[in-house]
Amino acid sequence: MSNSKFTRRGMLKTGAIAGAGVALPTIFTASSVAAYTNEPTGSSVTLGFNVPQTGPYADEGADELRAYQLAVEHLNGEGDGGMMNTFSSKELQGNGIMGKKVEFVTGDTQTKSDAARASAKSMIEKDGAVMITGGSSSGVAIAVQGLCQEAGVIFMAGLTHSNDTTGKDKKANGFRHFFNGYMSAAALAPVLKGLYGTDRNAYHLTADYTWGWTQEESIAAATEAMGWNTVNKVRTPLASTDFSSYIAPVLNSGADVLVLNHYGGNMVNSLTNAVQFGLREKIVNGKQFEIVVPLYSRLMAKGAGANVKGIHGSTNWHWSLQDDASKAFVKSFGTKYGFPPSQAAHTVYCQTLLYADAATRAGTFNPCGIGEALEGFEFDGLGNGKTLYRAGDHQCFKDVLVVRGKENPTSEFDLLEVVEVTPAAQVTYPIDHPMFAGGALGTCNAG
């Protein structure tokens, strides 16, 4: 039974979180709920999946689309139900969303903010999408989140790791399930300290956009706090494919650690160039030279091949996890596509179910009702353990995985191993943390 009730006279919200007590009722008058952007009037509801189908993050985008299609099948009662069977909320019944069949349209973000906004705008205005989700770039996510705030639809962010997405650029209509740069640094730093000690000199190569900047800031702050020295920070264009000219100066810098704040095809290429230059065989300052990749994914590891062996990083989720939810998702995805899902696939599948569940609990597709259902929502059974959607910034807080490239992989998919599950408490920060300062969440816009 839904935790909220919606009628033509208004919506009575009586508390969205199991175990959180009963919230004071919030009444929406008829005038506040009667009209909102793309209110579904027929027997179906349309979701907009906006992913990079071209560009440096296209591999991630392809896997996101696979997961979105799987989520739609499960919502519509097809397949084995996947993580709907393990999700702690039991609102979803396989009858679409509130009895409306889920349909979808897709767009290509091209990993470019302008293209992403244009495709999202088209899906909202021409296709009637009531929710937009996706992306594999924080620049794209922030741009589309802003558009959705203006248009009056919910944005369920895909793969976006910049602190700014739920920091200075947070919006009331936007929600992020994926973790962020601060969380990666908080999880990685203690592991790096144990492995490499406190007397290290780090050289950063950083993708020159919002994600790279905040990832670099986070890792540098966390490693400097444990005694490391930052030798240099060099920004690289997102469109780069050959990083040789950026790797060469590292050799004579005095650095004994290279931090690659790169993702997707950028990371594959920069790591390959670093290995070609022989960095991993170097002894510098009497120490073995090391490479760190703060944000890892299975798709990146596959692209980089043997070069990832022994290299540490962090990830939001990994298909080798043995909890019931992860196993259910891997089984569903593997049965349909023949290989295990990436973290990008996992986070967008979760976001789709979380949106559908929130709409069902709220009893409406009104973005403001859905937003209230998501704010402060505590849940489990989606592969990350107990998770909180914090009300103040719309960031999910959950465990973070530290992983490393396997020395002896058993298949082309078995490339990373989990070395530590960092508890959510260790990566949680106050809303007013300096790395997330500036910008206000604002108020929900229903259009």
Side-chain angles (χ1 to χ4, degrees), residues 6-50:
F6 180 77
T7 68
R8 293 186 65 180
R9 295 180 61 188
M11 184 168 71
L12 175 62
K13 184 165 180 176
T14 57
I17 309 169
V22 178
L24 292 174
T26 302
I27 303 294
F28 291 87
T29 63
S31 61
S32 69
V33 297
Y36 53 88
T37 300
N38 294 337
E39 179 178 2
T41 55
S43 59
S44 65
V45 59
T46 300
L47 308 182
F49 301 150
N50 204 24

Coordinates of all heavy atoms in Angstrom, one line a residue, residues 6-50:
F6 N -2.9 10.4 -3.3 CA -3.2 11.5 -4.2 C -4.6 11.4 -4.7 O -5.0 10.4 -5.2 CB -2.2 11.5 -5.3 CG -2.3 12.6 -6.3 CD1 -1.8 13.8 -6.0 CD2 -2.9 12.4 -7.5 CE1 -2.0 14.9 -6.9 CE2 -3.1 13.4 -8.4 CZ -2.6 14.7 -8.1
T7 N -5.3 12.5 -4.6 CA -6.7 12.5 -5.2 C -6.8 13.8 -6.0 O -5.9 14.7 -6.0 CB -7.7 12.5 -4.1 OG1 -7.7 13.8 -3.3 CG2 -7.5 11.4 -3.1
R8 N -7.9 14.0 -6.6 CA -8.2 15.2 -7.4 C -8.3 16.4 -6.5 O -8.1 17.5 -6.9 CB -9.5 15.0 -8.2 CG -9.4 14.0 -9.3 CD -10.6 14.0 -10.2 NE -10.8 15.2 -10.9 CZ -11.8 15.5 -11.7 NH1 -12.7 14.6 -11.9 NH2 -11.8 16.7 -12.3
R9 N -8.5 16.2 -5.2 CA -8.6 17.3 -4.3 C -7.3 17.7 -3.8 O -7.1 18.7 -3.2 CB -9.5 16.9 -3.1 CG -11.0 16.7 -3.5 CD -11.8 16.3 -2.3 NE -11.8 17.4 -1.3 CZ -12.3 17.2 -0.1 NH1 -12.9 16.1 0.2 NH2 -12.3 18.2 0.7
G10 N -6.3 16.8 -4.0 CA -4.9 17.2 -3.5 C -4.2 15.9 -3.0 O -4.7 14.8 -3.1
M11 N -3.0 16.2 -2.6 CA -2.2 15.0 -2.1 C -1.9 15.2 -0.6 O -1.5 16.2 -0.2 CB -0.9 15.0 -2.9 CG 0.0 13.8 -2.6 SD 1.4 13.6 -3.7 CE 2.4 15.0 -3.2
L12 N -2.2 14.1 0.0 CA -1.9 14.0 1.5 C -0.7 13.1 1.7 O -0.8 11.9 1.4 CB -3.1 13.4 2.2 CG -2.9 13.2 3.7 CD1 -2.6 14.5 4.4 CD2 -4.1 12.5 4.3
K13 N 0.4 13.7 2.1 CA 1.6 12.9 2.2 C 1.8 12.6 3.7 O 1.8 13.5 4.6 CB 2.9 13.7 1.7 CG 4.1 12.9 1.9 CD 5.2 13.5 1.0 CE 6.4 12.6 1.2 NZ 7.5 12.9 0.5
T14 N 1.9 11.3 4.0 CA 1.9 10.9 5.4 C 3.2 10.2 5.9 O 3.2 9.4 6.8 CB 0.7 9.9 5.7 OG1 0.8 8.8 4.8 CG2 -0.6 10.6 5.5
G15 N 4.3 10.5 5.2 CA 5.6 9.9 5.6 C 6.1 8.9 4.6 O 5.4 7.9 4.3
A16 N 7.3 9.2 4.1 CA 7.7 8.3 3.0 C 8.7 7.3 3.4 O 9.0 6.3 2.7 CB 8.4 9.2 1.9
I17 N 9.2 7.3 4.6 CA 10.4 6.5 5.0 C 9.9 5.4 6.0 O 9.5 5.7 7.1 CB 11.5 7.3 5.6 CG1 11.9 8.4 4.6 CG2 12.7 6.4 5.8 CD1 12.8 9.4 5.3
A18 N 10.1 4.2 5.6 CA 9.8 3.1 6.5 C 10.7 3.2 7.7 O 11.9 3.4 7.6 CB 10.0 1.8 5.8
G19 N 10.2 3.1 8.9 CA 11.0 3.2 10.1 C 11.4 4.6 10.5 O 12.1 4.7 11.5
A20 N 11.0 5.6 9.8 CA 11.4 6.9 10.1 C 10.4 7.7 10.9 O 10.5 8.9 11.1 CB 11.7 7.7 8.8
G21 N 9.3 7.0 11.3 CA 8.3 7.7 12.0 C 7.3 8.4 11.0 O 7.5 8.3 9.8
V22 N 6.2 8.9 11.5 CA 5.2 9.5 10.7 C 5.4 11.0 10.5 O 5.5 11.7 11.5 CB 3.8 9.2 11.2 CG1 2.7 9.9 10.3 CG2 3.6 7.7 11.3
A23 N 5.6 11.5 9.3 CA 5.8 12.9 9.1 C 4.4 13.6 9.2 O 3.4 13.1 9.0 CB 6.3 13.1 7.7
L24 N 4.5 14.9 9.6 CA 3.3 15.7 9.6 C 2.8 15.8 8.2 O 3.5 16.0 7.2 CB 3.6 17.1 10.1 CG 4.0 17.2 11.6 CD1 4.5 18.6 12.0 CD2 2.9 16.7 12.5
P25 N 1.4 15.7 8.0 CA 0.9 15.7 6.7 C 1.2 17.0 5.9 O 1.2 18.1 6.5 CB -0.7 15.6 6.9 CG -0.7 15.0 8.3 CD 0.4 15.5 9.1
T26 N 1.4 16.9 4.6 CA 1.6 18.1 3.8 C 0.5 18.1 2.8 O 0.3 17.1 2.0 CB 3.0 18.0 3.1 OG1 4.0 17.9 4.0 CG2 3.2 19.2 2.2
I27 N -0.3 19.1 2.7 CA -1.4 19.1 1.8 C -1.1 20.0 0.6 O -0.6 21.1 0.7 CB -2.7 19.8 2.5 CG1 -3.0 19.0 3.7 CG2 -3.8 19.8 1.5 CD1 -3.5 17.6 3.5
F28 N -1.2 19.4 -0.6 CA -1.1 20.1 -1.9 C -2.5 20.4 -2.4 O -3.3 19.5 -2.5 CB -0.4 19.2 -2.9 CG 1.1 19.0 -2.6 CD1 1.5 18.0 -1.8 CD2 2.0 19.9 -3.1 CE1 2.8 17.7 -1.5 CE2 3.4 19.7 -2.9 CZ 3.8 18.6 -2.1
T29 N -2.8 21.6 -2.6 CA -4.2 22.0 -3.1 C -4.3 21.6 -4.5 O -3.3 21.4 -5.2 CB -4.4 23.5 -2.9 OG1 -3.5 24.2 -3.8 CG2 -4.2 24.0 -1.5
A30 N -5.5 21.6 -5.0 CA -5.8 21.2 -6.4 C -5.0 22.0 -7.4 O -4.5 21.6 -8.4 CB -7.3 21.2 -6.7
S31 N -4.9 23.3 -7.1 CA -4.3 24.3 -8.0 C -2.8 24.0 -8.1 O -2.2 24.2 -9.1 CB -4.5 25.7 -7.6 OG -3.9 25.9 -6.3
S32 N -2.2 23.4 -7.0 CA -0.8 23.2 -7.0 C -0.4 21.9 -7.7 O 0.8 21.6 -8.0 CB -0.2 23.2 -5.6 OG -0.7 22.1 -4.9
V33 N -1.4 21.0 -7.9 CA -1.1 19.7 -8.5 C -1.8 19.4 -9.8 O -1.5 18.4 -10.5 CB -1.4 18.5 -7.5 CG1 -0.5 18.7 -6.2 CG2 -2.9 18.5 -7.1
A34 N -2.7 20.2 -10.1 CA -3.6 19.9 -11.3 C -2.8 20.0 -12.6 O -3.1 19.3 -13.6 CB -4.8 20.9 -11.3
A35 N -1.8 20.9 -12.6 CA -1.0 21.0 -13.9 C 0.5 21.0 -13.6 O 0.9 21.8 -12.7 CB -1.4 22.4 -14.5
Y36 N 1.2 20.1 -14.2 CA 2.6 20.1 -14.1 C 3.2 19.6 -15.5 O 2.4 19.1 -16.3 CB 3.1 19.2 -13.0 CG 2.6 17.8 -12.9 CD1 3.2 16.8 -13.6 CD2 1.4 17.5 -12.2 CE1 2.7 15.5 -13.6 CE2 0.9 16.2 -12.2 CZ 1.6 15.2 -12.8 OH 1.1 13.9 -12.8
T37 N 4.4 19.8 -15.7 CA 5.0 19.5 -17.0 C 4.8 18.0 -17.4 O 5.1 17.1 -16.6 CB 6.5 19.8 -17.0 OG1 6.7 21.2 -16.7 CG2 7.1 19.5 -18.3
N38 N 4.2 17.8 -18.6 CA 4.0 16.5 -19.2 C 3.2 15.5 -18.3 O 3.5 14.3 -18.3 CB 5.3 15.9 -19.6 CG 6.0 16.7 -20.7 OD1 5.3 17.4 -21.4 ND2 7.3 16.6 -20.8
E39 N 2.2 16.0 -17.6 CA 1.3 15.1 -16.8 C 0.8 14.0 -17.7 O 0.1 14.3 -18.7 CB 0.2 15.9 -16.2 CG -0.7 15.1 -15.4 CD -1.8 15.9 -14.7 OE1 -1.9 17.1 -14.9 OE2 -2.6 15.2 -14.0
P40 N 1.0 12.8 -17.4 CA 0.5 11.7 -18.3 C -1.0 11.6 -18.2 O -1.6 11.6 -17.1 CB 1.1 10.4 -17.7 CG 2.2 10.9 -16.8 CD 1.8 12.2 -16.3
T41 N -1.6 11.6 -19.4 CA -3.1 11.5 -19.4 C -3.6 10.2 -20.0 O -4.8 9.9 -19.9 CB -3.6 12.7 -20.3 OG1 -3.0 12.7 -21.6 CG2 -3.3 14.0 -19.6
G42 N -2.7 9.5 -20.7 CA -3.2 8.2 -21.3 C -2.8 7.0 -20.5 O -2.7 7.1 -19.2
S43 N -2.6 5.9 -21.1 CA -2.3 4.7 -20.5 C -0.8 4.4 -20.3 O -0.4 3.3 -19.8 CB -2.9 3.5 -21.2 OG -2.4 3.4 -22.6
S44 N 0.0 5.3 -20.7 CA 1.5 5.2 -20.6 C 2.2 6.4 -20.1 O 1.6 7.5 -20.0 CB 2.1 4.8 -22.0 OG 1.9 5.9 -22.9
V45 N 3.4 6.2 -19.7 CA 4.2 7.4 -19.2 C 5.6 7.2 -19.9 O 6.1 6.1 -20.0 CB 4.4 7.3 -17.6 CG1 5.0 6.0 -17.2 CG2 5.2 8.5 -17.2
T46 N 6.2 8.4 -20.3 CA 7.4 8.4 -21.1 C 8.6 8.9 -20.2 O 8.5 10.0 -19.7 CB 7.2 9.2 -22.3 OG1 6.2 8.7 -23.1 CG2 8.5 9.2 -23.2
L47 N 9.6 8.1 -20.2 CA 10.9 8.5 -19.6 C 11.9 8.8 -20.6 O 12.0 8.2 -21.7 CB 11.4 7.4 -18.7 CG 10.4 6.8 -17.6 CD1 11.1 5.8 -16.8 CD2 9.8 7.9 -16.8
G48 N 12.8 9.8 -20.4 CA 13.8 10.2 -21.3 C 15.2 9.7 -20.9 O 15.7 10.1 -19.8
F49 N 15.8 8.9 -21.7 CA 17.2 8.4 -21.4 C 18.2 9.1 -22.2 O 18.3 8.8 -23.4 CB 17.2 6.8 -21.6 CG 16.2 6.1 -20.8 CD1 15.7 4.9 -21.3 CD2 15.8 6.5 -19.6 CE1 14.7 4.2 -20.6 CE2 14.9 5.8 -18.8 CZ 14.3 4.6 -19.3
N50 N 19.0 9.9 -21.6 CA 19.9 10.8 -22.3 C 21.4 10.4 -22.0 O 21.9 10.7 -20.9 CB 19.7 12.2 -21.8 CG 20.1 13.3 -22.7 OD1 20.2 13.1 -23.9 ND2 20.4 14.5 -22.2

